[in-house]
Amino acid sequence: MTGVHIAAELPMADRHHVALHLAHRWFAFLEAPGGNLDSHLKMFHPQVRLTGHRRSHLFAQGHESLVTWFAAVPDAISSHHIVHSNYSTAENGDGLLNMVVAYQAPGQLEMHGSIISYETRIEFPAGSARFSALDKTPILPNKRLEYETSWSTNRVLTWVYAELGGITDSDGQLRSALGSNVQQISAQVTAPEGSRDYEALVTGISPTTGELRAVRLKLSDDIKANMPTVDNVQALVL
């Protein structure tokens, strides 16, 4: 899957999953060098606006300046943990995904970090989904001293939300195990950036019964691919 292709009009719940798929894929790309930039750009409208500080500062507008911005991002590893997110629908049907993200980047002498408010707009043209605007505004310092990797977590959740959003050629194992309307999804995995093989524990809660559900995933990965390959899905009895 080179872009985010959608076969038909998505229900709102699936659009929420697809929006989170885009977010986790965006962060994983920033966290380790070597990703496929040409493929990554397809996640963004040709005239996408990337701004900061509540849209008062313009980082990039359009693919050309976005490429320049990506080139200026340091190659050092970093982490982006989505602490909280909220999804709603704009009047024109676009998705509005707002997030609070804990960011870290190890420095030579100390840890750099901040808590960042992200506001994003996602459009769903026929057969696809893509960011049309993103704003990133630091709101607090992140004073955690120990580095907590998130690359593999974001890679796993990129795949999970793509599956739940119905934008992959899926055998349905994950939806069957977790339920298509699962909530409060999390992934426990700490594989270092760029790992080729790893395992993950993914959990979620059924909104109708409150039941906690879990699956164990075995994955193989190529940093140039949009998502990891899931080799095995095992539903767990809790």
Side-chain angles (χ1 to χ4, degrees):
M1 186 175 69
T2 56
V4 181
H5 300 297
I6 298 170
E9 184 71 13
L10 285 173
M12 181 174 174
D14 288 349
R15 286 189 173 204
H16 188 182
H17 291 319
V18 172
L20 286 168
H21 158 80
L22 290 175
H24 287 286
R25 186 174 157 195
W26 150 265
F27 291 136
F29 182 85
L30 295 174
E31 292 170 347
N36 186 325
L37 180 58
D38 289 339
S39 179
H40 195 65
L41 287 174
K42 295 178 181 178
M43 292 172 50
F44 304 91
H45 186 281
Q47 292 302 315
V48 64
R49 285 178 57 86
L50 174 62
T51 59
H53 300 283
R54 305 297 183 200
R55 292 174 290 281
S56 65
H57 179 79
L58 181 65
F59 290 113
Q61 180 165 4
H63 281 189
E64 185 175 347
S65 59
L66 188 61
V67 169
T68 301
W69 183 83
F70 277 128
V73 175
D75 284 339
I77 63 171
S78 61
S79 67
H80 303 76
H81 293 273
I82 298 178
V83 178
H84 172 77
S85 69
N86 179 67
Y87 181 83
S88 60
T89 303
E91 290 184 0
N92 69 346
D94 285 355
L96 303 175
L97 178 67
N98 297 331
M99 299 171 285
V100 175
V101 176
Y103 165 75
Q104 286 182 297
Q108 290 186 344
L109 300 178
E110 61 181 358
M111 185 70 64
H112 304 289
S114 56
I115 307 300
I116 305 175
S117 169
Y118 280 83
E119 297 181 358
T120 74
R121 179 178 286 263
I122 298 163
E123 63 171 22
F124 297 89
S128 64
R130 60 192 181 185
F131 288 115
S132 59
L134 306 96
D135 182 83
K136 52 195 300 287
T137 301
I139 54 176
L140 289 169
N142 184 352
K143 296 184 178 181
R144 186 180 293 274
L145 299 178
E146 300 80 16
Y147 178 70
E148 295 184 359
T149 181
S150 64
W151 177 82
S152 51
T153 298
N154 283 323
R155 292 289 282 178
V156 167
L157 291 175
T158 296
W159 179 83
V160 167
Y161 283 115
E163 287 281 303
L164 294 174
I167 58 173
T168 63
D169 295 326
S170 172
D171 59 9
Q173 288 190 71
L174 186 75
R175 276 180 173 257
S176 176
L178 294 182
S180 59
N181 60 347
V182 63
Q183 298 178 351
Q184 299 182 40
I185 299 166
S186 65
Q188 302 299 318
V189 52
T190 56
E193 289 79 2
S195 296
R196 302 287 298 187
D197 299 284
Y198 48 91
E199 296 186 1
L201 174 66
V202 176
T203 60
I205 295 177
S206 167
T208 55
T209 66
E211 176 189 6
L212 178 65
R213 297 178 179 178
V215 295
R216 179 184 179 187
L217 305 178
K218 291 186 177 182
L219 307 99
S220 53
D221 211 335
D222 178 352
I223 202 167
K224 293 185 179 299
N226 295 334
M227 294 187 292
T229 298
V230 175
D231 302 313
N232 184 263
V233 179
Q234 178 187 3
L236 302 178
V237 178
L238 300 179

